[in-house]
């Protein structure tokens, strides 16, 4: 129900609406005194529209919006945060290489910069489409918490406003662009040189997204704007308009020179119809004339071939009197004849014609191959209705009427060869994780996923909420658990029925995941001026680490800082009664105990770690520190030593 404002008319707004009706291109977005976006008139543009002469002012080709510069600053601003492991919500912690990260993806992308720089082969994201009420983001405007709690109810742990793009604020493009721009810039750093990003989007923002990506990835790295036609579901219901059932998947590469899009196996392509005794190995075939008019004439390809009745056939005979040559050299023809690649038969006009057999699974050199065709820019398969039904049938309720079909994501993953780490930082119901596990189970692949999702509250009226899933991360994690279990059960059943080959039986895919959550830094804030210190603070600062942080929290903080992947295996050993953590054997060794005895340090050094880290406060004085350096210099000079 609309609320009466009990205010007089705002004539400025009315006038802007009138100008918008006459000159839509003279309307832009700006911020009011409170920092909220509003419509405004671009007077330079209006002046130009009302003048026959070129108006004053510099022109340049640029794409900008209100808040672009601020969004760049936001993307570059360092944060004092970390990722805290949550073993109890994880699955197969010790062995898995998959990650599920909870938090705002801007923070997460910043935190992953060291550990995953140039390490990700494929990113798929399905960001909010800016339909008017579908995204939250943080900004720095100074509003009182109460104002916003009332209006939006969303704050992060540091009381930054998490702004929800509501119907009332309209579908402002500036907010959406400011949300996407820094995230894509950070995401690009994570892609390998052969890396590719796929971004789902619809008509609301596709034009802006394309411009942003041209800027972030470089126009030359644009790969394609794919169209996905949703088989069932989706589509506008407005009877006056076109009924649109398609959306887009924008694809950009890190470096266009290095990528290759894998073709689609032709499998049952119609023209391969004939069979011979080589069916098992070479597949079906069709016949192609050996003498084609289109081949550039060459004397070496012009030789006579003997027909079964002894007749001499020349290329010219097969080309109805035009000068021509064969496609194959004489030696290749002789090889083909012996190995069953050549057919010589009489045509309808009773003349002899020479053909080569074009096999489906074998090239003209005798190599077994998978014949592929270039994938089309229109993907005319898969349905979002099926995707929602799947989630519903998995017992995960109705929260996601916008989840993507697993098959669609599998299709995209299959377009890239050997993709190992696949990142989705708007992961929603974790469709991408499901697709990765499913595809690994089908083709024996070893792909890993990293899912990132904001713990956004579920709708209290949704079945998901009633079933106990209070935020989207809970749904995502549960989906991965259930999907993984089903995949394992299916593989076990196949194995019992003897449907798997021996080597496949050992290929159970990684269905585990480590859960990590964004939190404030592990370190205490020590930036006080000397006059600010009091006795209690000095006592507190004896340790610079927050009291509620465990050794494993500290270990992951160090991995992030030092750029070590978060998926590596790690164990804890007792050495001299002290806990010592070994990451991937001795890639990194950490001991965060207060007071580490010299014998323990010597033992760690004897293991020759690549990197070693201690707690700063565990050394009573600088001679102690020098002693540690000396021990490593003698026993393991290659080790890099750091303290926290
Ligand atoms: C369109 S949905 C993705 C749906 C997903 N592809 C699927 O199949 O379920 C977008 C998701 O991004 C999440 N999201 C929005 N802003 C985010 C942010 N700043 N950080 C992390 N996740 C965010 C939303 O909570 C939502 O779940």
């Amino acid at each position: 129900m609309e609320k009466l404002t009990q205010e007089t008319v705002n004539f400025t707004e009315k006038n802007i609406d009138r100008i918008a009706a006459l000159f839509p291109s003279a309307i832009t977005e700006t911020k009011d005194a409170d920092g909220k976006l509003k419509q405004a008139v671009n007077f330079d543009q209006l002046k130009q529209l009302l003048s026959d002469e070129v108006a004053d002012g510099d022109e340049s080709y640029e794409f900008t919006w209100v808040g672009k510069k601020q969004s760049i600053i936001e993307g570059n601003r360092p944060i004092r945060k970390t990722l805290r492991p949550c073993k109890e919500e994880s699955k197969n912690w010790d062995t898995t290489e998959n990650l599920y990260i909870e938090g705002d993806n801007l923070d997460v992308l910043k935190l992953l910069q060291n550990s995953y720089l140039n390490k990700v082969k494929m990113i798929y994201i399905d960001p909010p489409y800016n339909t008017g009420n579908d995204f939250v983001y943080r900004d720095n405007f100074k509003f009182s918490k109460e104002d916003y709690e009332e209006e939006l109810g969303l704050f992060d742990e540091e009381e930054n406003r998490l702004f929800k793009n509501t119907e009332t604020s309209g579908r402002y493009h500036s907010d959406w662009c400011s949300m996407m721009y820094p995230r894509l810039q950070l995401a690009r750093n994570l892609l390998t040189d052969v890396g590719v990003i796929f971004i789902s989007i619809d008509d609301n923002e596709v034009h802006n997204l394309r411009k942003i990506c041209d800027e972030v990835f470089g126009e030359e790295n644009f790969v394609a704007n794919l169209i996905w036609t949703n088989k069932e579901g989706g589509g506008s219901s407005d009877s006056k308009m076109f009924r649109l059932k398609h959306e887009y998947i924008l694809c950009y590469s890190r470096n266009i020179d290095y990528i290759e899009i894998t073709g689609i196996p032709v499998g049952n392509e119609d023209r391969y119809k004939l069979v011979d005794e080589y069916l098992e190995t070479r597949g079906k075939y069709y016949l192609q004339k050996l003498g084609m008019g289109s081949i550039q004439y060459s004397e070496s390809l012009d030789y006579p071939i003997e027909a079964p009745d002894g007749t001499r056939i020349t290329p010219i005979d097969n080309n109805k009197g035009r000068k021509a040559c064969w496609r194959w050299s004489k030696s290749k023809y002789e090889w083909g004849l012996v190995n069953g690649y050549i057919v010589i038969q009489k045509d309808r006009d009773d003349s002899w014609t020479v053909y080569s057999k074009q096999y489906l699974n074998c090239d003209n050199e005798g190599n077994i191959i998978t014949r592929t065709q270039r994938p089309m820019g229109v993907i005319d398969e898969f349905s979002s209705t099926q995707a929602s039904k799947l989630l519903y049938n998995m017992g995960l309720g109705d929260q996601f009427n916008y989840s993507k079909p697993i098959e669609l994501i599998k299709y995209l993953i299959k377009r890239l060869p050997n993709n190992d780490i696949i990142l989705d930082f708007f992961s929603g119901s974790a469709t991408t994780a499901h697709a990765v596990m499913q595809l690994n189970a089908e083709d024996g692949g070893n792909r890993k996923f990293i899912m990132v999702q904001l713990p956004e509250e579920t709708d209290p009226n949704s079945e998901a909420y009633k079933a106990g899933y209070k935020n989207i991360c809970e749904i995502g994690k549960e989906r991965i658990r259930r999907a993984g279990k089903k995949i394992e059960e299916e593989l076990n059943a196949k194995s019992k029925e003897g449907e798997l080959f021996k080597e496949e039986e050992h290929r159970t895919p990684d269905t585990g995941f480590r859960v990590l959550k964004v939190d404030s830094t592990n370190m205490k804030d020590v930036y006080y001026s000397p006059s600010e210190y009091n006795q209690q603070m000095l006592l507190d600062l004896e340790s610079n680490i927050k009291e509620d942080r465990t050794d494993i929290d500290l270990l992951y903080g160090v991995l992030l800082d030092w750029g070590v992947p978060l998926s590596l295996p790690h164990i804890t050993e007792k050495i001299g009664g002290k806990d010592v953590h070994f990451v991937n054997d001795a890639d990194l060794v950490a001991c965060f105990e207060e007071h580490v005895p010299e014998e323990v340090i010597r033992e760690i050094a004897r293991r020759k770690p690549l990197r070693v880290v201690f707690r700063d406060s565990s050394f009573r004085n600088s001679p102690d520190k020098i002693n540690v350096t000396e021990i490593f210099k003698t026993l393991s000079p290659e080790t890099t030593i750091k303290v926290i």
Side-chain angles (χ1 to χ4, degrees):
M1 201 179 296
E2 202 179 327
K3 203 170 167 192
L4 288 168
T5 58
Q6 306 196 19
E7 278 174 11
T8 58
V9 175
N10 180 332
F11 279 108
T12 309
E13 276 178 17
K14 274 240 176 288
N15 288 338
I16 292 175
D17 286 348
R18 284 182 192 135
I19 290 179
L22 282 174
F23 307 109
S25 68
I27 298 301
T28 182
E29 293 173 5
T30 187
K31 277 185 177 164
D32 66 13
D34 292 334
K36 277 191 179 176
L37 277 174
K38 61 171 192 175
Q39 281 202 333
V41 176
N42 177 343
F43 287 103
D44 288 339
Q45 176 80 348
L46 185 63
K47 201 165 139 194
Q48 187 60 71
L49 289 169
L50 298 175
S51 166
D52 288 337
E53 319 250 302
V54 174
D56 306 340
D58 292 335
E59 281 181 322
S60 62
Y61 180 77
E62 61 179 339
F63 172 57
T64 193
W65 62 88
V66 184
K68 180 174 184 179
K69 289 183 184 149
Q70 186 59 39
S71 80
I72 295 172
I73 293 173
E74 201 60 29
N76 291 339
R77 201 161 53 95
I79 48 169
R80 285 179 56 75
K81 297 199 178 184
T82 191
L83 292 178
R84 294 181 71 185
C86 182
K87 268 194 184 181
E88 44 309 349
E89 293 178 22
S90 307
K91 177 178 165 188
N92 303 342
W93 179 277
D94 290 332
T95 50
T96 186
E97 291 180 61
N98 298 319
L99 303 178
Y100 189 94
I101 307 178
E102 295 188 19
D104 186 325
N105 50 19
L106 186 62
D107 291 337
V108 177
L109 288 166
K110 285 182 182 179
L111 288 166
L112 296 184
Q113 290 293 306
N114 290 339
S115 296
Y116 290 92
L117 191 76
N118 290 125
K119 293 226 168 69
V120 175
K121 287 260 181 73
M122 171 176 160
I123 299 177
Y124 168 76
I125 52 169
D126 179 16
Y129 288 1
N130 201 9
T131 55
N133 192 19
D134 65 344
F135 77 96
V136 281
Y137 68 96
R138 195 175 49 223
D139 67 25
N140 285 331
F141 309 134
K142 303 285 176 249
F143 281 86
S144 80
K145 184 173 177 184
E146 290 68 34
D147 283 355
Y148 270 94
E149 264 178 350
E150 204 172 88
E151 199 178 329
L152 308 155
L154 283 164
F155 266 83
D156 73 5
E157 67 283 357
E158 286 179 356
E159 306 210 344
N160 287 311
R161 180 166 70 113
L162 285 176
F163 192 89
K164 191 151 193 158
N165 194 39
T166 59
E167 297 278 14
T168 47
S169 71
R171 228 177 301 146
Y172 283 119
H173 297 291
S174 296
D175 280 344
W176 191 87
C177 293
S178 290
M179 190 271 292
M180 289 302 288
Y181 195 86
R183 287 166 172 82
L184 289 172
Q185 278 206 313
L186 291 163
R188 178 180 175 270
N189 299 338
L190 305 184
L191 283 177
T192 65
D193 284 345
V194 295
V196 168
I197 183 167
F198 292 102
I199 311 172
S200 280
I201 199 69
D202 75 1
D203 280 315
N204 285 307
E205 296 292 350
V206 63
H207 50 303
N208 289 329
L209 182 61
R210 178 111 184 233
K211 282 273 170 208
I212 291 176
C213 288
D214 277 349
E215 225 175 277
V216 170
F217 296 95
E219 213 176 318
E220 65 285 7
N221 291 316
F222 167 74
V223 178
N225 186 10
L226 305 173
I227 291 173
W228 171 46
T229 307
N230 196 347
K231 269 308 210 195
E232 296 169 72
S236 51
S237 52
D238 190 333
S239 57
K240 287 193 292 185
M241 302 289 179
F242 289 100
R243 184 155 172 252
L244 301 181
K245 280 178 70 69
H246 70 267
E247 51 178 72
Y248 309 97
I249 302 173
L250 259 187
C251 177
Y252 278 77
S253 60
R254 174 78 199 240
N255 186 333
I256 198 81
D257 294 334
Y258 297 151
I259 69 150
E260 195 177 337
I261 300 295
T262 309
I264 315 258
V266 292
N268 48 7
E269 217 190 31
D270 286 351
R271 59 181 174 162
Y272 297 91
K273 283 192 181 121
L274 305 171
V275 289
D276 62 14
E277 68 270 35
Y278 303 108
L279 179 64
E280 284 273 296
T281 48
R282 300 182 192 173
K284 292 184 181 180
Y285 69 93
Y286 67 90
L287 292 176
Q288 190 175 40
K289 279 187 179 173
L290 199 65
M292 306 261 284
S294 56
I295 287 277
Q296 170 82 38
Y297 180 80
S298 153
E299 256 179 35
S300 64
L301 296 174
D302 187 359
Y303 51 90
I305 287 177
E306 195 180 318
D309 64 359
T311 313
R312 265 167 59 99
I313 319 167
T314 62
I316 214 165
D317 300 328
N318 269 207
N319 267 286
K320 311 293 173 232
R322 276 179 293 126
K323 188 167 174 132
C325 58
W326 305 118
R327 281 185 290 115
W328 290 9
S329 66
K330 192 157 192 274
S331 57
K332 183 160 174 191
Y333 166 77
E334 281 161 359
W335 167 87
L337 191 64
V338 173
N339 291 290
Y341 287 84
I342 293 291
V343 170
I344 305 173
Q345 64 186 30
K346 279 201 165 168
D347 266 353
R348 259 179 253 147
D349 64 0
D350 214 29
S351 65
W352 288 105
T353 305
V354 187
Y355 296 92
S356 67
K357 289 181 184 174
Q358 303 298 130
Y359 288 101
L360 180 59
N361 301 330
C362 184
D363 66 11
N364 285 334
E365 314 287 326
N367 305 308
I368 300 300
I369 53 157
T370 305
R371 217 171 269 285
T372 59
Q373 64 194 15
R374 286 289 110 215
M376 300 297 285
V378 177
I379 306 169
D380 191 13
E381 293 173 89
F382 323 125
S383 114
S384 61
T385 309
Q386 290 304 325
S388 305
K389 269 192 203 153
L390 174 77
L391 271 181
Y392 196 78
N393 293 340
M394 288 175 84
L396 294 167
D398 52 351
Q399 175 78 25
F400 282 93
N401 45 18
Y402 49 79
S403 72
K404 290 289 180 286
I406 317 172
E407 298 298 329
L408 176 67
I409 313 298
K410 272 168 53 185
Y411 176 93
L412 298 177
I413 298 175
K414 284 200 271 188
R415 300 289 65 79
L416 303 174
N418 313 319
N419 31 25
D420 46 14
I421 300 179
I422 295 167
L423 167 68
D424 182 343
F425 55 89
F426 285 98
S427 72
S429 67
T431 307
T432 304
H434 193 161
V436 167
M437 295 189 298
Q438 183 81 48
L439 194 58
N440 283 346
E442 287 167 15
D443 69 3
N446 194 26
R447 305 167 188 90
K448 306 294 166 203
F449 64 75
I450 303 179
M451 296 295 108
V452 182
Q453 172 60 41
L454 191 72
E456 200 184 327
E457 283 174 16
T458 44
D459 177 353
N461 296 320
S462 67
E463 282 186 31
Y465 185 89
K466 288 175 199 151
Y469 304 111
K470 298 288 183 263
N471 68 52
I472 294 178
C473 296
E474 289 174 16
I475 302 180
K477 286 176 287 185
E478 190 54 23
R479 179 190 189 160
I480 306 175
R481 285 187 204 103
R482 293 187 187 185
K485 188 160 175 267
K486 185 149 181 276
I487 288 169
E488 282 161 14
E489 283 168 1
E490 279 168 5
L491 278 177
N492 285 342
K494 273 191 182 168
S495 150
K496 272 195 198 121
E497 284 162 22
E499 278 181 40
L500 297 180
F501 292 112
K502 262 275 152 284
E503 65 273 19
E504 281 179 326
E505 287 187 11
H506 304 289
R507 273 197 333 214
T508 315
D510 180 359
T511 56
F513 57 96
R514 284 184 183 168
V515 176
L516 301 154
K517 299 187 183 184
V518 173
D519 206 331
S520 62
T521 169
N522 293 321
M523 314 310 284
K524 281 181 191 164
D525 225 336
V526 287
Y527 303 108
Y528 296 106
S529 67
S531 60
E532 285 174 313
Y533 283 112
N534 59 34
Q535 197 53 39
Q536 187 53 45
M537 282 160 92
L538 286 175
L539 288 175
D540 285 351
L541 289 179
E542 206 170 276
S543 164
N544 55 347
I545 292 160
K546 290 181 182 157
E547 274 73 31
D548 66 336
R549 304 303 158 107
T550 65
D551 262 23
I552 300 298
D553 288 331
L554 301 183
L555 182 66
Y556 274 76
V558 169
L559 296 181
L560 286 173
D561 256 15
W562 219 330
V564 180
L566 307 177
S567 55
L568 294 179
H570 55 90
I571 53 161
T572 304
E573 251 185 61
K574 279 261 185 247
I575 299 181
K578 303 288 176 187
D579 281 338
V580 183
H581 311 282
F582 291 83
V583 178
N584 207 25
D585 288 337
D587 274 9
L588 185 144
V589 176
C591 182
F592 301 118
E593 300 266 2
E594 291 289 355
H595 314 303
V596 189
E598 187 176 319
E599 209 22 66
V600 176
I601 294 170
R602 284 189 178 281
E603 179 51 28
I604 294 175
R606 274 194 280 274
R607 310 271 185 107
K608 300 207 180 323
L610 214 56
R611 311 170 182 88
V612 71
V613 59
F614 299 102
R615 184 189 271 245
D616 195 25
S617 54
S618 72
F619 304 112
R620 264 161 305 172
N621 46 37
S622 2
D624 271 4
K625 274 191 196 165
I626 294 169
N627 191 27
V628 173
T629 317
E630 288 307 318
I631 293 172
F632 274 91
K633 231 188 226 167
T634 320
L635 295 175
S636 181
E638 303 292 311
T639 304
T640 314
I641 314 166
K642 290 196 183 181
V643 287
I644 57 166

